[in-house]
């Protein structure tokens, strides 16, 4: 799936690294070259500028070590050597060094040796002469060649390393994308599966009804109630899926209103208390009598409490007790929803916030979708809060939610 992208990213990463290594190598070589020839070239230029004509075959104000290396020759306008500081420098041997360029250092390769030279014209009453200052630069050239081969060798090794590093960097960059792609794929697969089940049941029941065109509605009560149940489940499933899909795409707006948690909890708990009585369960609310204000989306926080209370009711047997408590702890509003119901096995605990995860489907009526806690967790995260679960099989479960308190307006403090 991501092979092509992996290759493209590897090539791009490696190309950038190789380019950087190449640039660095080039910069080192140019710098070293400039430094190495600085002394020779400087001395050549100094010689042309400072020494009078009749002394040009002798050492002048040039750097140490240059006296032996510097070859000086004075040529007349016919390029004949009229004076030189080396016997071997004759009109014939000077030929390969001749240049039209004056007052600039140039490089010449003569019989396998490298020379830097500078020619300068001098006008005197006897005529115009050209003075050549020549220095053998073989030691410098050898040094630079060694450096060049080290740089080329290093660039070669660097290229191989760049490809390896480029590949690893590309893999690392792709990893989170692969994970979220896989999650998304799993989500779509699970959603399709979950949607197909109620649809098949509805189709089956409706086909059964069609086979009895003269039957009466009261005789088909059970089928119709199954169809209604599945339709309810479908509509809940679609609503939940839409919430999660929009949350994934960051397309769900979270309002930022001031919410009084205690007032909202009282509102949510009331109908559940009625329902608990009806199912022979007890629902106790311990809500501290303090102003507990948070900033958030009232509708979503309401939905969060309903998700937790609905679970507590669903997974608690007759005669069970559910407690909802609310207070303040370290600048956070702390809400706990605990029950003495069936509890959750330790191995299931890390997964209960996963989409479609249900520990015991026989317990959850057919209307459960396994999406409640996934949505609940998303709501808590959107409010910069925390949700924690503690549970023991056959003893009960406790969900704790921590939500940041709204900052009191200047001069006003939460008591
Ligand atoms: P839905 O909420 O979509 O109707 P659901 O209740 O099965 O379906 P969740 O609310 O996400 O899904 O819960 C996931 C699972 O976690 C449940 O199926 C159940 O196994 C376990 N669970 C959640 N709350 C409790 C609880 N209070 N006691 C025991 N098990 C629980
Ligand atoms: Mg639920």
């Amino acid at each position: 799936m991501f092979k092509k992208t992996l290759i493209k990213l590897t090539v791009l990463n490696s190309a950038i690294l190789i380019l950087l290594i190449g640039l660095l190598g080039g910069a080192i070589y140019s710098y070293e070259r400039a430094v190495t020839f600085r002394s020779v070239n400087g001395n050549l230029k100094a010689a042309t500028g400072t020494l009078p004509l009749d002394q040009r075959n002798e050492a002048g104000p040039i750097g140490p070590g240059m006296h032996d290396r510097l070859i000086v020759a004075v040529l007349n306008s016919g390029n004949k050597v009229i004076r030189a500081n080396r016997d071997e420098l004759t009109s014939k041997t000077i030929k390969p060094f001749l240049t039209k360029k004056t007052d600039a250092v140039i490089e010449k390769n003569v019989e396998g040796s490298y020379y830097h030279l500078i020619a300068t014209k001098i006008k005197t009453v006897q005529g115009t002469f050209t003075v050549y200052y020549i220095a053998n630069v073989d030691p410098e050239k050898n040094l630079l060649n060694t450096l060049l081969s080290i740089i080329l060798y290093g660039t070669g090794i660097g290229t191989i390393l760049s490809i390896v590093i480029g590949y690893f960097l590309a893999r690392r960059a792709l990893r989170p994308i692969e994970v979220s792609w896989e999650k998304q794929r799993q989500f779509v697969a699970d959603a399709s599966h979950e949607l197909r089940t109620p649809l098949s049941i509805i189709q089956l029941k409706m086909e059964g009804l069609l086979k009895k065109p003269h039957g009466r509605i009261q005789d088909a009560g059970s089928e119709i109630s199954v169809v209604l149940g599945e339709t309810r489940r479908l509509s809940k499933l679609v609503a939940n899926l839409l919430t999660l899909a929009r949350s994934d795409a960051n397309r769900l707006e979270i309002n930022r209103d001031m919410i009084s948690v205690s007032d909202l909890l009282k509102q949510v708990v009331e109908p559940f208390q009625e329902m608990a009585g009806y199912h022979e369960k007890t629902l106790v609310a311990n809500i501290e009598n303090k102003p507990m204000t948070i900033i958030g989306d009232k509708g979503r926080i309401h939905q969060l409490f309903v998700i937790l209370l609905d679970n507590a009711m669903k997974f608690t047997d007759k005669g069970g007790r559910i407690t909802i408590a609310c207070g303040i702890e370290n600048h956070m509003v702390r809400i706990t929803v605990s029950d003495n119901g069936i509890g959750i096995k330790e191995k299931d605990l890390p997964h209960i916030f996963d989409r479609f995860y249900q520990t015991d489907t026989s317990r959850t009526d057919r209307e459960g979708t396994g999406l409640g806690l996934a949505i609940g967790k998303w709501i808590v995260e959107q409010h910069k809060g925390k949700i924690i679960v503690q549970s023991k099989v056959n003893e009960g479960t406790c969900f704790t939610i921590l939500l940041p308190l709204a900052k009191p307006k200047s001069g006003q403090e939460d008591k």
Side-chain angles (χ1 to χ4, degrees), residues 67-290:
H67 296 161
D68 301 336
R69 291 179 67 186
L70 204 62
I71 307 166
V72 188
V74 184
L75 277 72
N76 64 13
S77 52
N79 281 338
K80 295 272 172 290
V81 176
I82 54 164
R83 204 162 173 183
N85 68 344
R86 300 277 160 91
D87 294 341
E88 63 268 25
L89 213 59
T90 62
S91 300
K92 196 175 163 206
T93 52
I94 194 88
K95 261 190 188 153
F97 295 99
L98 295 183
T99 175
K100 285 205 166 62
K101 229 180 193 179
T102 54
D103 299 318
V105 177
I106 57 166
E107 189 174 294
K108 290 241 176 208
N109 185 344
V110 179
E111 291 170 9
S113 285
Y114 283 91
Y115 298 87
H116 274 199
L117 61 94
I118 191 162
T120 184
K121 288 222 184 292
I122 291 164
K123 281 187 182 124
T124 64
V125 279
Q126 287 107 331
T128 304
F129 298 93
T130 313
V131 187
Y132 276 80
Y133 298 91
I134 306 166
N136 181 296
V137 289
D138 276 343
E140 284 85 355
K141 264 286 175 192
N142 286 341
L143 190 81
L144 284 174
N145 284 344
T146 312
L147 180 70
L148 189 65
S149 25
I150 291 172
I151 288 175
L152 288 179
Y153 206 66
T155 309
I157 295 172
T159 303
I160 297 167
L161 277 177
S162 298
I163 294 169
V164 176
I165 294 169
Y167 174 77
F168 276 107
L169 286 179
R171 273 228 68 92
R172 269 191 83 148
L174 277 180
R175 195 80 207 116
I177 302 170
E178 271 175 353
V179 170
S180 70
W181 175 266
E182 179 52 31
K183 262 191 185 166
Q184 206 59 31
R185 199 197 56 74
Q186 190 63 44
F187 180 48
V188 172
D190 290 342
S192 321
H193 176 79
E194 291 293 321
L195 286 170
R196 217 174 45 205
T197 318
L199 280 174
S200 318
I201 297 172
I202 293 171
Q203 189 182 359
L204 199 78
K205 292 288 172 198
M206 295 306 262
E207 279 169 359
L209 287 177
L210 263 184
K211 278 184 193 152
K212 298 180 234 163
H214 303 296
R216 291 181 312 167
I217 284 183
Q218 60 252 54
D219 297 335
S222 73
E223 276 93 344
I224 293 173
S225 97
V226 170
V227 169
L228 270 178
E230 291 304 318
T231 319
R232 260 201 306 274
R233 181 176 148 74
L234 258 185
S235 103
K236 180 179 170 183
L237 190 61
V238 170
N240 283 347
L241 283 176
L242 213 60
T243 305
L244 286 170
R246 283 184 179 157
S247 76
D248 283 346
N250 281 332
R251 277 183 40 212
L252 273 186
E253 287 246 331
I254 291 283
N255 295 330
R256 304 271 166 218
D257 301 322
M258 297 288 255
I259 310 169
S260 160
V261 180
S262 41
D263 290 349
L264 184 61
L265 267 180
K266 280 175 202 155
Q267 240 180 60
V268 181
V269 164
E270 225 180 79
F272 272 96
Q273 262 168 337
E274 223 173 277
M275 216 186 328
Y278 181 71
H279 288 291
E280 295 169 39
K281 296 171 192 174
T282 327
L283 172 54
V284 186
N286 286 332
I287 300 164
E288 276 183 31
N289 205 12
K290 297 181 180 175

Side-chain angles (χ1 to χ4, degrees), residues 365-384:
D365 48 25
R366 289 271 319 128
E367 280 183 37
T369 62
L371 292 176
L373 286 179
I375 294 176
K377 188 171 178 233
W378 170 76
I379 295 173
V380 174
E381 280 167 359
Q382 288 301 307
H383 288 82
K384 300 192 171 43

Side-chain angles (χ1 to χ4, degrees), residues 307 310-311 314-315 372-373:
I307 288 169
D310 176 60
N311 281 351
K314 204 156 61 174
F315 300 106
L373 286 179

